Amino acid sequence: VTRLLAQGLERVVVVIPAHAEALASWWAAWCARVGPRWAAAVTLHRERTPRGTAGGLEAARGLGVDAVLVYADNLTDLDVPAMLRAHRRARADITLAAHTQAVTLPWGRVRRRGGALLGYDEKPSLPVEIASGAYVFSPACVESLPPEARVDVPALIEARRSSGARVRVWTHASAWLDVNDLDALKRAAHLARSTLSLECVVRTPADTVQVVGALLVRGDAVLLERRSPRAALTPGVWDTPGGKLELGEAPAAALQRELREELDLCAAHTQPLGAFDEPDARGVWVRQHAFALRVDLARQIRGLEGQTLEWHPLVSLPEPLAPAVRRSIARWQQMT
């Protein structure tokens, strides 16, 4: 969503199943607030029955504009405006993005001429051109979608191509990752931090409140602080220890200061988890600079400012819980 808005798209529809309450809550708490920051509309479309991978196009019916369809489990910095321009230059009905991906065979490949062996390659990596899970459909293609029927993208493309539609392939060399298993999730975490600016959604950092948070880990538990109901930020919730950055202060220096002042703790060996933006309950955007720190099992930690501190198992986190806690834990688990 952030990448689409950053590339200038003014209307984004997030399509989810009707029963996906967790996704609906995420949209209401975060996604719906991102759009106004980019002067765009981000709306939610809940499918009452499964419509297939092309079903989301229903949300574009009647708009009379080209519709871009992207799969949410593909992490990429693909240039959507460039794909749209190529689609319109070619006067295409459908444009699909494609790229070359190295595919490793799980077997040995035999190369031969007749009965003579030319070579034997153990588990070779072969270049294959694959679909990138990003498409542009013309208004006519959108209107051709059968109402209320389940339609997958390959079937829709083949049906339109068979009826004479102009289908074009647009190739790119952008970063791309299909996130469908734990190993891919770990690679995605590194890709998001090193290549893509996905989670800092506010364009100007000065428009956010800059804070630092420390995920203190001891065994399978994390130390959380219960914020005062009168706190200026995240009041009344369980959050990671930390605080605001002072003017001109670097996040790592702010972490050292906060842990020393609040917990009498030296944070010499912290692990940066990156930064992300979150709106608090009042709609104020907070940029969280997250760090992780393993704490010795024998070390007793006490609050120097009278704050409520408790260790909580990762499998049983308390409520209400600040969203930044879950995001910090997710990043830490991806990296470890």
Side-chain angles (χ1 to χ4, degrees):
V1 173
T2 304
R3 286 292 302 174
L4 294 172
L5 295 176
Q7 293 188 54
L9 274 74
E10 298 177 351
R11 179 180 297 182
V12 175
V13 180
V14 180
V15 182
I16 67 171
H19 65 270
E21 294 301 331
L23 284 175
S25 297
W26 158 78
W27 177 84
W30 185 85
C31 197
R33 301 183 183 183
V34 173
R37 279 286 172 179
W38 298 86
V42 182
T43 57
L44 186 68
H45 178 77
R46 303 182 73 167
E47 292 185 343
R48 292 186 297 274
T49 58
R51 296 292 309 279
T53 54
L57 291 172
E58 182 68 32
R61 191 187 295 275
L63 297 181
V65 295
D66 292 324
V68 177
L69 177 68
V70 296
Y71 296 154
D73 58 354
N74 293 336
L75 184 64
T76 179
D77 61 350
L78 182 146
D79 190 339
V80 173
M83 181 171 64
L84 272 167
R85 289 193 296 270
H87 172 83
R88 290 164 180 167
R89 280 198 304 269
R91 297 183 179 180
D93 296 295
I94 300 173
T95 297
L96 66 91
H99 67 280
T100 300
Q101 186 87 354
V103 177
T104 301
L105 296 181
W107 315 283
R109 181 181 65 161
V110 172
R111 293 180 286 107
R112 66 175 185 160
R113 180 180 295 118
L117 180 69
L118 298 180
Y120 176 84
D121 307 317
E122 182 63 27
K123 298 180 180 178
S125 184
L126 306 178
V128 178
E129 190 169 25
I130 66 171
S132 306
Y135 311 87
V136 183
F137 293 90
S138 70
C141 287
V142 173
E143 298 303 322
S144 74
L145 193 71
E148 302 301 322
R150 180 187 177 97
V151 182
D152 289 317
V153 166
L156 176 61
I157 291 178
E158 184 56 30
R160 296 299 299 164
R161 191 183 68 82
S162 298
S163 64
R166 184 175 175 82
V167 180
R168 307 292 294 173
V169 177
W170 178 75
T171 58
H172 68 94
S174 303
W176 186 90
L177 182 63
D178 188 28
V179 187
N180 273 317
D181 55 38
L182 185 58
D183 288 340
L185 187 63
K186 292 178 179 178
R187 293 196 299 273
H190 291 288
L191 181 64
R193 285 190 301 274
S194 62
T195 307
L196 310 178
S197 178
L198 294 175
E199 296 188 88
C200 292
V201 302
V202 180
R203 299 191 220 197
T204 307
D207 292 338
T208 65
V209 177
Q210 304 263 344
V211 303
V212 64
L215 185 68
L216 304 180
V217 184
R218 186 171 67 185
D220 294 325
V222 292
L223 184 68
L224 299 178
E225 174 183 336
R226 185 66 182 261
R227 298 295 187 195
S228 166
R230 298 180 298 277
L233 294 174
T234 60
V237 303
W238 291 96
D239 203 350
T240 52
K244 294 182 182 179
L245 274 69
E246 295 179 352
L247 185 63
E249 189 176 32
L255 180 75
Q256 295 276 357
R257 175 182 54 75
E258 289 287 345
L259 293 183
R260 185 175 60 252
E261 294 174 354
E262 293 188 5
L263 307 176
D264 190 26
L265 187 64
C266 176
H269 303 289
T270 56
Q271 180 181 16
L273 302 178
F276 48 82
D277 293 346
E278 280 281 358
D280 76 351
R282 302 164 301 156
V284 175
W285 281 90
V286 180
R287 177 155 298 176
Q288 177 98 356
H289 300 272
F291 294 81
L293 176 64
R294 288 191 178 273
V295 180
D296 188 89
L297 291 173
R299 175 67 186 269
Q300 295 297 317
I301 298 178
R302 60 187 181 89
L304 301 183
E305 300 177 348
Q307 64 269 49
T308 299
L309 297 170
E310 290 182 7
W311 289 97
H312 291 273
L314 287 167
V315 295
S316 180
L317 297 172
E319 294 291 348
L321 188 68
V325 176
R326 287 195 175 89
R327 294 179 74 167
S328 297
I329 290 173
R331 286 193 172 199
W332 175 72
Q333 289 176 331
Q334 290 165 3
M335 296 173 69
T336 58

